[in-house]
Amino acid sequence: MLAAAASLLNVPISILDVGEDTPAKQVVVPRAPLTHVDGPFTSPEAIRKLAAQVDVLTIEIEHVNVDVLDEIQRATGIEIHPSPSTIRMIQDKYIQKEHLKRNGLPLADYVAVERSVEGIKKAIAQLGLPLMLKSRTLAYDGRGNYVLKTQDDAAISAALTALADRPLYAERWVPFVKEAAVMVVRTREGIVHAYPLVETVHKDNICHIVFAPFRAPGGVSTRAELIAEEVARTFDGAGVFGVEMFILEDGTVYVNEVAPRPHNSGHYTIEACYTSQYENHLRAILGLPLGDTRMITPSSIMLNLIGTSTDPAPMLAVAEKALTVPGAHVHLYGKTGCRKGRKMGHITIIGETDAECRDRLRPLLETLAASEG
Ligand code: ADP
Ligand code: MG
């Protein structure tokens, strides 16, 4: 999606990813002398090969080798966005929380945890049960989270096994009524613009549906958008930041976590906003004027197409159904190999009212339910 936005702006790009034919590489043919690079995001050689070709380097996943990015920035002075220091901070969820807390942002209580039965008991004494245990690093789509419901040794041992070999921290359980997110675009100079607050609905810890905008009473949306802008102000470097949030019964907003890149819950911006998160990410990192972040349609819904097994047929049935639904836009990513829990594509619905969008979503959910059996 970033590659598609770059193509429209006539920005030549080179992509680093494992494989010759990965989704982004299918979208743009590199323009000579650029070439795409084949290798993992952790490989120093691959990252150096990419950096040697470009003036501006950005990331779409934060689990990259940040030491090499640091070294490249010092040695060459090329623009890297967000800055390696931001990526490093966000890679460790505990350090990320400490940073947000230092900056006065609203968070659920959390504590560092020593990897032992005693260490976890200490966290339970501080934060109570249920306790949300989290891996500090390499976590996504709920992989890295463990909900501890009782404090007997067996349950704690099971948690330690589930999160084996990971540095841990713990959070107080948040009894949120809704989950939400705000995309924020930040210029190189630190000017920030929020997209509207959206409601995110998760299934098995994976973002399943996004409703845009979030319909909340009492100024919750404005408050959440201002908080998200404040979050983005605290991180160095340009680009889009995805700020995940919890909304409590009384309208309290907590920041859950931050992604230093365009985010799944901002996919709706492609069809539903004046300027998509991808185009604005590019504009921001290239130092171009930013586009308008407002919606151009009163209502929008994004449905993720998530693999249910190695068989892509169920999610393809939903995509096919979407072709018959007015206002529905199909995005299939061209990933090879469907897997349970793998994001294979998404559908964005736009409409004149929330009710119209929900009516348009219904046949897609029915197809999904039928194909899942
Ligand atoms: P990731 O998205 O990296 O897997 P998150 O920290 O966002 O990790 O957690 C995944 C999901 O787990 C959240 O979207 C939310 O549904 C739930 N969750 C996370 N932290 C808490 C918490 N402290 N209390 C209750 N639920 C939580
Ligand atoms: Mg998350």
Side-chain angles (χ1 to χ4, degrees), residues 93 97 108-109 132 134 139-145 147 169 171-176 179 200 202 205 244 246 256-257:
K93 288 191 181 200
K97 293 262 154 155
D109 294 334
M132 182 55 109
K134 291 190 181 182
Y140 68 101
D141 287 346
R143 283 171 245 197
N145 286 2
V147 184
Y169 78 104
E171 282 178 21
R172 191 188 295 283
W173 184 257
V174 181
F176 57 78
E179 288 193 75
T200 55
H202 292 74
N205 279 305
E244 298 179 12
F246 298 131
N256 171 26
E257 61 167 346

mmCIF file of all heavy atoms in Angstrom, residues 93 97 108-109 132 134 139-145 147 169 171-176 179 200 202 205 244 246 256-257, ligand 1:
data_model
loop_
_atom_site.group_PDB
_atom_site.id
_atom_site.type_symbol
_atom_site.label_atom_id
_atom_site.label_comp_id
_atom_site.label_asym_id
_atom_site.label_seq_id
_atom_site.Cartn_x
_atom_site.Cartn_y
_atom_site.Cartn_z
ATOM 1 N N LYS A 93 8.479 -3.000 24.736
ATOM 2 C CA LYS A 93 7.222 -2.429 25.211
ATOM 3 C C LYS A 93 7.341 -1.801 26.597
ATOM 4 O O LYS A 93 6.624 -0.858 26.916
ATOM 5 C CB LYS A 93 6.126 -3.502 25.254
ATOM 6 C CG LYS A 93 5.629 -3.921 23.895
ATOM 7 C CD LYS A 93 4.383 -4.768 24.047
ATOM 8 C CE LYS A 93 3.874 -5.227 22.690
ATOM 9 N NZ LYS A 93 2.467 -5.620 22.738
ATOM 10 N N LYS A 97 6.585 2.060 27.456
ATOM 11 C CA LYS A 97 5.672 2.517 28.526
ATOM 12 C C LYS A 97 6.366 3.546 29.407
ATOM 13 O O LYS A 97 5.755 4.555 29.792
ATOM 14 C CB LYS A 97 5.217 1.340 29.403
ATOM 15 C CG LYS A 97 4.338 0.336 28.692
ATOM 16 C CD LYS A 97 2.866 0.550 28.950
ATOM 17 C CE LYS A 97 2.089 -0.017 27.782
ATOM 18 N NZ LYS A 97 0.764 -0.431 27.928
ATOM 19 N N ALA A 108 -2.418 2.360 31.711
ATOM 20 C CA ALA A 108 -2.744 1.426 32.788
ATOM 21 C C ALA A 108 -1.474 1.205 33.614
ATOM 22 O O ALA A 108 -0.363 1.316 33.093
ATOM 23 C CB ALA A 108 -3.218 0.107 32.189
ATOM 24 N N ASP A 109 -1.634 0.868 34.902
ATOM 25 C CA ASP A 109 -0.451 0.593 35.740
ATOM 26 C C ASP A 109 0.302 -0.612 35.181
ATOM 27 O O ASP A 109 -0.298 -1.555 34.659
ATOM 28 C CB ASP A 109 -0.890 0.249 37.171
ATOM 29 C CG ASP A 109 -1.534 1.442 37.850
ATOM 30 O OD1 ASP A 109 -1.214 2.582 37.470
ATOM 31 O OD2 ASP A 109 -2.375 1.219 38.744
ATOM 32 N N MET A 132 -2.240 -9.116 33.218
ATOM 33 C CA MET A 132 -1.816 -9.237 31.824
ATOM 34 C C MET A 132 -0.298 -9.277 31.791
ATOM 35 O O MET A 132 0.368 -8.285 32.048
ATOM 36 C CB MET A 132 -2.350 -8.044 31.025
ATOM 37 C CG MET A 132 -2.016 -8.084 29.554
ATOM 38 S SD MET A 132 -2.541 -9.600 28.746
ATOM 39 C CE MET A 132 -3.880 -9.003 27.746
ATOM 40 N N LYS A 134 3.088 -9.601 29.693
ATOM 41 C CA LYS A 134 3.471 -9.330 28.305
ATOM 42 C C LYS A 134 4.963 -9.510 28.088
ATOM 43 O O LYS A 134 5.775 -9.118 28.941
ATOM 44 C CB LYS A 134 3.090 -7.898 27.908
ATOM 45 C CG LYS A 134 1.604 -7.642 27.808
ATOM 46 C CD LYS A 134 1.316 -6.288 27.176
ATOM 47 C CE LYS A 134 -0.182 -6.033 27.091
ATOM 48 N NZ LYS A 134 -0.495 -4.745 26.443
ATOM 49 N N ALA A 139 6.586 -8.842 20.083
ATOM 50 C CA ALA A 139 5.186 -9.225 20.260
ATOM 51 C C ALA A 139 4.327 -8.603 19.156
ATOM 52 O O ALA A 139 4.581 -7.488 18.735
ATOM 53 C CB ALA A 139 4.692 -8.746 21.614
ATOM 54 N N TYR A 140 3.338 -9.342 18.693
ATOM 55 C CA TYR A 140 2.328 -8.792 17.783
ATOM 56 C C TYR A 140 1.142 -9.737 17.748
ATOM 57 O O TYR A 140 1.279 -10.929 18.048
ATOM 58 C CB TYR A 140 2.881 -8.570 16.360
ATOM 59 C CG TYR A 140 3.206 -9.852 15.627
ATOM 60 C CD1 TYR A 140 2.338 -10.360 14.664
ATOM 61 C CD2 TYR A 140 4.365 -10.561 15.913
ATOM 62 C CE1 TYR A 140 2.615 -11.546 14.011
ATOM 63 C CE2 TYR A 140 4.641 -11.744 15.266
ATOM 64 C CZ TYR A 140 3.768 -12.221 14.314
ATOM 65 O OH TYR A 140 4.031 -13.399 13.669
ATOM 66 N N ASP A 141 -0.028 -9.196 17.382
ATOM 67 C CA ASP A 141 -1.260 -9.986 17.282
ATOM 68 C C ASP A 141 -1.479 -10.878 18.509
ATOM 69 O O ASP A 141 -1.920 -12.026 18.398
ATOM 70 C CB ASP A 141 -1.264 -10.856 16.010
ATOM 71 C CG ASP A 141 -1.471 -10.011 14.753
ATOM 72 O OD1 ASP A 141 -1.871 -8.833 14.883
ATOM 73 O OD2 ASP A 141 -1.251 -10.528 13.646
ATOM 74 N N GLY A 142 -1.171 -10.354 19.678
ATOM 75 C CA GLY A 142 -1.417 -11.095 20.917
ATOM 76 C C GLY A 142 -0.370 -12.147 21.226
ATOM 77 O O GLY A 142 -0.355 -12.714 22.319
ATOM 78 N N ARG A 143 0.526 -12.446 20.241
ATOM 79 C CA ARG A 143 1.593 -13.413 20.511
ATOM 80 C C ARG A 143 2.591 -12.695 21.388
ATOM 81 O O ARG A 143 3.224 -11.743 20.952
ATOM 82 C CB ARG A 143 2.249 -13.860 19.203
ATOM 83 C CG ARG A 143 1.380 -14.858 18.463
ATOM 84 C CD ARG A 143 1.921 -15.126 17.088
ATOM 85 N NE ARG A 143 0.979 -14.640 16.106
ATOM 86 C CZ ARG A 143 0.982 -14.983 14.841
ATOM 87 N NH1 ARG A 143 1.905 -15.774 14.372
ATOM 88 N NH2 ARG A 143 0.073 -14.523 14.020
ATOM 89 N N GLY A 144 2.703 -13.121 22.609
ATOM 90 C CA GLY A 144 3.533 -12.381 23.565
ATOM 91 C C GLY A 144 2.720 -11.932 24.768
ATOM 92 O O GLY A 144 3.275 -11.418 25.721
ATOM 93 N N ASN A 145 1.390 -12.139 24.715
ATOM 94 C CA ASN A 145 0.545 -11.799 25.869
ATOM 95 C C ASN A 145 0.056 -13.071 26.553
ATOM 96 O O ASN A 145 -0.207 -14.072 25.884
ATOM 97 C CB ASN A 145 -0.698 -11.018 25.426
ATOM 98 C CG ASN A 145 -0.362 -9.597 25.043
ATOM 99 O OD1 ASN A 145 0.798 -9.194 25.066
ATOM 100 N ND2 ASN A 145 -1.374 -8.840 24.694
ATOM 101 N N VAL A 147 -2.736 -14.028 29.833
ATOM 102 C CA VAL A 147 -3.616 -13.556 30.905
ATOM 103 C C VAL A 147 -3.568 -14.560 32.055
ATOM 104 O O VAL A 147 -3.962 -15.718 31.896
ATOM 105 C CB VAL A 147 -5.074 -13.415 30.410
ATOM 106 C CG1 VAL A 147 -5.941 -12.831 31.531
ATOM 107 C CG2 VAL A 147 -5.140 -12.538 29.169
ATOM 108 N N TYR A 169 7.088 -8.030 31.308
ATOM 109 C CA TYR A 169 6.575 -7.043 32.249
ATOM 110 C C TYR A 169 5.094 -7.362 32.419
ATOM 111 O O TYR A 169 4.542 -8.224 31.706
ATOM 112 C CB TYR A 169 6.833 -5.605 31.773
ATOM 113 C CG TYR A 169 5.908 -5.100 30.708
ATOM 114 C CD1 TYR A 169 4.880 -4.203 31.032
ATOM 115 C CD2 TYR A 169 6.030 -5.493 29.384
ATOM 116 C CE1 TYR A 169 4.019 -3.716 30.064
ATOM 117 C CE2 TYR A 169 5.170 -5.013 28.411
ATOM 118 C CZ TYR A 169 4.165 -4.119 28.751
ATOM 119 O OH TYR A 169 3.311 -3.657 27.807
ATOM 120 N N GLU A 171 0.962 -5.833 33.202
ATOM 121 C CA GLU A 171 0.052 -4.685 33.234
ATOM 122 C C GLU A 171 -1.176 -5.035 34.050
ATOM 123 O O GLU A 171 -1.631 -6.186 34.046
ATOM 124 C CB GLU A 171 -0.437 -4.358 31.810
ATOM 125 C CG GLU A 171 0.557 -3.618 30.980
ATOM 126 C CD GLU A 171 0.035 -3.355 29.572
ATOM 127 O OE1 GLU A 171 -1.193 -3.376 29.338
ATOM 128 O OE2 GLU A 171 0.889 -3.151 28.703
ATOM 129 N N ARG A 172 -1.725 -4.000 34.690
ATOM 130 C CA ARG A 172 -3.003 -4.189 35.340
ATOM 131 C C ARG A 172 -4.063 -4.466 34.270
ATOM 132 O O ARG A 172 -4.028 -3.900 33.195
ATOM 133 C CB ARG A 172 -3.394 -2.932 36.123
ATOM 134 C CG ARG A 172 -4.579 -3.155 37.045
ATOM 135 C CD ARG A 172 -5.066 -1.855 37.671
ATOM 136 N NE ARG A 172 -4.124 -1.206 38.573
ATOM 137 C CZ ARG A 172 -3.884 -1.592 39.817
ATOM 138 N NH1 ARG A 172 -4.503 -2.634 40.325
ATOM 139 N NH2 ARG A 172 -3.025 -0.930 40.572
ATOM 140 N N TRP A 173 -4.972 -5.391 34.567
ATOM 141 C CA TRP A 173 -6.060 -5.709 33.653
ATOM 142 C C TRP A 173 -6.935 -4.464 33.463
ATOM 143 O O TRP A 173 -7.344 -3.840 34.436
ATOM 144 C CB TRP A 173 -6.901 -6.854 34.218
ATOM 145 C CG TRP A 173 -7.972 -7.275 33.257
ATOM 146 C CD1 TRP A 173 -9.298 -6.974 33.328
ATOM 147 C CD2 TRP A 173 -7.792 -8.051 32.070
ATOM 148 N NE1 TRP A 173 -9.962 -7.504 32.246
ATOM 149 C CE2 TRP A 173 -9.059 -8.169 31.466
ATOM 150 C CE3 TRP A 173 -6.677 -8.643 31.451
ATOM 151 C CZ2 TRP A 173 -9.256 -8.869 30.269
ATOM 152 C CZ3 TRP A 173 -6.876 -9.344 30.276
ATOM 153 C CH2 TRP A 173 -8.151 -9.452 29.701
ATOM 154 N N VAL A 174 -7.196 -4.088 32.198
ATOM 155 C CA VAL A 174 -8.008 -2.901 31.922
ATOM 156 C C VAL A 174 -9.419 -3.340 31.519
ATOM 157 O O VAL A 174 -9.584 -4.017 30.498
ATOM 158 C CB VAL A 174 -7.395 -2.061 30.773
ATOM 159 C CG1 VAL A 174 -8.241 -0.815 30.517
ATOM 160 C CG2 VAL A 174 -5.957 -1.678 31.096
ATOM 161 N N PRO A 175 -10.447 -2.970 32.297
ATOM 162 C CA PRO A 175 -11.819 -3.373 31.953
ATOM 163 C C PRO A 175 -12.414 -2.412 30.921
ATOM 164 O O PRO A 175 -13.413 -1.754 31.180
ATOM 165 C CB PRO A 175 -12.544 -3.271 33.299
ATOM 166 C CG PRO A 175 -11.819 -2.185 34.019
ATOM 167 C CD PRO A 175 -10.392 -2.183 33.536
ATOM 168 N N PHE A 176 -11.775 -2.366 29.741
ATOM 169 C CA PHE A 176 -12.224 -1.401 28.731
ATOM 170 C C PHE A 176 -13.578 -1.791 28.147
ATOM 171 O O PHE A 176 -13.937 -2.964 28.129
ATOM 172 C CB PHE A 176 -11.172 -1.256 27.619
ATOM 173 C CG PHE A 176 -10.805 -2.542 26.921
ATOM 174 C CD1 PHE A 176 -11.625 -3.106 25.967
ATOM 175 C CD2 PHE A 176 -9.607 -3.190 27.235
ATOM 176 C CE1 PHE A 176 -11.273 -4.285 25.318
ATOM 177 C CE2 PHE A 176 -9.245 -4.381 26.594
ATOM 178 C CZ PHE A 176 -10.086 -4.920 25.644
ATOM 179 N N GLU A 179 -12.024 -0.844 22.321
ATOM 180 C CA GLU A 179 -10.651 -0.551 21.913
ATOM 181 C C GLU A 179 -10.717 0.424 20.754
ATOM 182 O O GLU A 179 -11.680 0.421 19.979
ATOM 183 C CB GLU A 179 -9.920 -1.821 21.501
ATOM 184 C CG GLU A 179 -9.587 -2.692 22.698
ATOM 185 C CD GLU A 179 -8.590 -3.784 22.365
ATOM 186 O OE1 GLU A 179 -7.388 -3.494 22.216
ATOM 187 O OE2 GLU A 179 -9.017 -4.942 22.257
ATOM 188 N N THR A 200 -11.715 -0.252 17.160
ATOM 189 C CA THR A 200 -11.123 -1.496 16.661
ATOM 190 C C THR A 200 -11.724 -2.679 17.420
ATOM 191 O O THR A 200 -11.840 -2.636 18.646
ATOM 192 C CB THR A 200 -9.589 -1.492 16.849
ATOM 193 O OG1 THR A 200 -9.291 -1.253 18.226
ATOM 194 C CG2 THR A 200 -8.924 -0.415 16.026
ATOM 195 N N HIS A 202 -11.264 -6.701 18.046
ATOM 196 C CA HIS A 202 -10.309 -7.800 17.874
ATOM 197 C C HIS A 202 -11.001 -9.147 18.000
ATOM 198 O O HIS A 202 -11.981 -9.293 18.729
ATOM 199 C CB HIS A 202 -9.196 -7.714 18.924
ATOM 200 C CG HIS A 202 -8.296 -6.532 18.740
ATOM 201 N ND1 HIS A 202 -8.689 -5.249 19.040
ATOM 202 C CD2 HIS A 202 -7.034 -6.444 18.275
ATOM 203 C CE1 HIS A 202 -7.698 -4.420 18.761
ATOM 204 N NE2 HIS A 202 -6.674 -5.121 18.297
ATOM 205 N N ASN A 205 -7.258 -11.812 19.486
ATOM 206 C CA ASN A 205 -6.140 -10.861 19.588
ATOM 207 C C ASN A 205 -5.707 -10.239 18.269
ATOM 208 O O ASN A 205 -4.693 -9.551 18.215
ATOM 209 C CB ASN A 205 -4.906 -11.524 20.220
ATOM 210 C CG ASN A 205 -5.013 -11.571 21.729
ATOM 211 O OD1 ASN A 205 -5.218 -10.537 22.356
ATOM 212 N ND2 ASN A 205 -4.910 -12.743 22.295
ATOM 213 N N GLU A 244 -2.641 2.810 19.664
ATOM 214 C CA GLU A 244 -3.729 1.940 20.126
ATOM 215 C C GLU A 244 -4.180 2.390 21.509
ATOM 216 O O GLU A 244 -3.341 2.712 22.348
ATOM 217 C CB GLU A 244 -3.258 0.478 20.187
ATOM 218 C CG GLU A 244 -2.835 -0.075 18.848
ATOM 219 C CD GLU A 244 -2.350 -1.529 18.936
ATOM 220 O OE1 GLU A 244 -2.547 -2.190 19.985
ATOM 221 O OE2 GLU A 244 -1.756 -1.992 17.949
ATOM 222 N N PHE A 246 -7.348 2.194 24.847
ATOM 223 C CA PHE A 246 -8.492 1.587 25.535
ATOM 224 C C PHE A 246 -9.436 2.708 25.960
ATOM 225 O O PHE A 246 -8.975 3.727 26.483
ATOM 226 C CB PHE A 246 -8.042 0.845 26.799
ATOM 227 C CG PHE A 246 -7.097 -0.300 26.551
ATOM 228 C CD1 PHE A 246 -5.924 -0.424 27.291
ATOM 229 C CD2 PHE A 246 -7.387 -1.273 25.600
ATOM 230 C CE1 PHE A 246 -5.051 -1.497 27.083
ATOM 231 C CE2 PHE A 246 -6.519 -2.345 25.390
ATOM 232 C CZ PHE A 246 -5.351 -2.447 26.131
ATOM 233 N N ASN A 256 -2.580 2.210 24.880
ATOM 234 C CA ASN A 256 -2.128 0.817 25.025
ATOM 235 C C ASN A 256 -0.717 0.670 24.473
ATOM 236 O O ASN A 256 0.221 0.389 25.214
ATOM 237 C CB ASN A 256 -3.106 -0.133 24.326
ATOM 238 C CG ASN A 256 -2.578 -1.563 24.255
ATOM 239 O OD1 ASN A 256 -1.766 -1.975 25.081
ATOM 240 N ND2 ASN A 256 -3.010 -2.320 23.261
ATOM 241 N N GLU A 257 -0.551 0.891 23.170
ATOM 242 C CA GLU A 257 0.794 0.799 22.604
ATOM 243 C C GLU A 257 0.853 1.604 21.319
ATOM 244 O O GLU A 257 -0.168 1.980 20.763
ATOM 245 C CB GLU A 257 1.198 -0.661 22.361
ATOM 246 C CG GLU A 257 0.291 -1.380 21.396
ATOM 247 C CD GLU A 257 0.872 -2.711 20.904
ATOM 248 O OE1 GLU A 257 2.065 -2.955 21.097
ATOM 249 O OE2 GLU A 257 0.105 -3.480 20.303
HETATM 250 P P1 ADP B 1 0.037 -6.813 20.433
HETATM 251 O O1 ADP B 1 -0.954 -6.018 19.633
HETATM 252 O O2 ADP B 1 1.439 -6.393 20.208
HETATM 253 O O3 ADP B 1 -0.137 -8.270 20.366
HETATM 254 P P2 ADP B 1 -1.216 -5.554 22.748
HETATM 255 O O4 ADP B 1 -0.484 -5.052 23.922
HETATM 256 O O5 ADP B 1 -1.856 -4.539 21.875
HETATM 257 O O6 ADP B 1 -0.201 -6.489 21.971
HETATM 258 O O7 ADP B 1 -2.310 -6.585 23.250
HETATM 259 C C1 ADP B 1 -3.162 -7.285 22.360
HETATM 260 C C2 ADP B 1 -4.598 -7.201 22.866
HETATM 261 O O8 ADP B 1 -4.684 -7.705 24.197
HETATM 262 C C3 ADP B 1 -5.134 -5.784 22.972
HETATM 263 O O9 ADP B 1 -5.601 -5.324 21.724
HETATM 264 C C4 ADP B 1 -6.234 -5.970 24.002
HETATM 265 O O10 ADP B 1 -7.374 -6.579 23.417
HETATM 266 C C5 ADP B 1 -5.629 -6.973 24.968
HETATM 267 N N1 ADP B 1 -4.942 -6.279 26.081
HETATM 268 C C6 ADP B 1 -3.684 -5.778 26.060
HETATM 269 N N2 ADP B 1 -3.351 -5.231 27.239
HETATM 270 C C7 ADP B 1 -4.405 -5.372 28.055
HETATM 271 C C8 ADP B 1 -4.678 -5.009 29.427
HETATM 272 N N3 ADP B 1 -3.767 -4.406 30.195
HETATM 273 N N4 ADP B 1 -5.913 -5.320 29.918
HETATM 274 C C9 ADP B 1 -6.841 -5.947 29.157
HETATM 275 N N5 ADP B 1 -6.638 -6.324 27.876
HETATM 276 C C10 ADP B 1 -5.446 -6.040 27.319
#
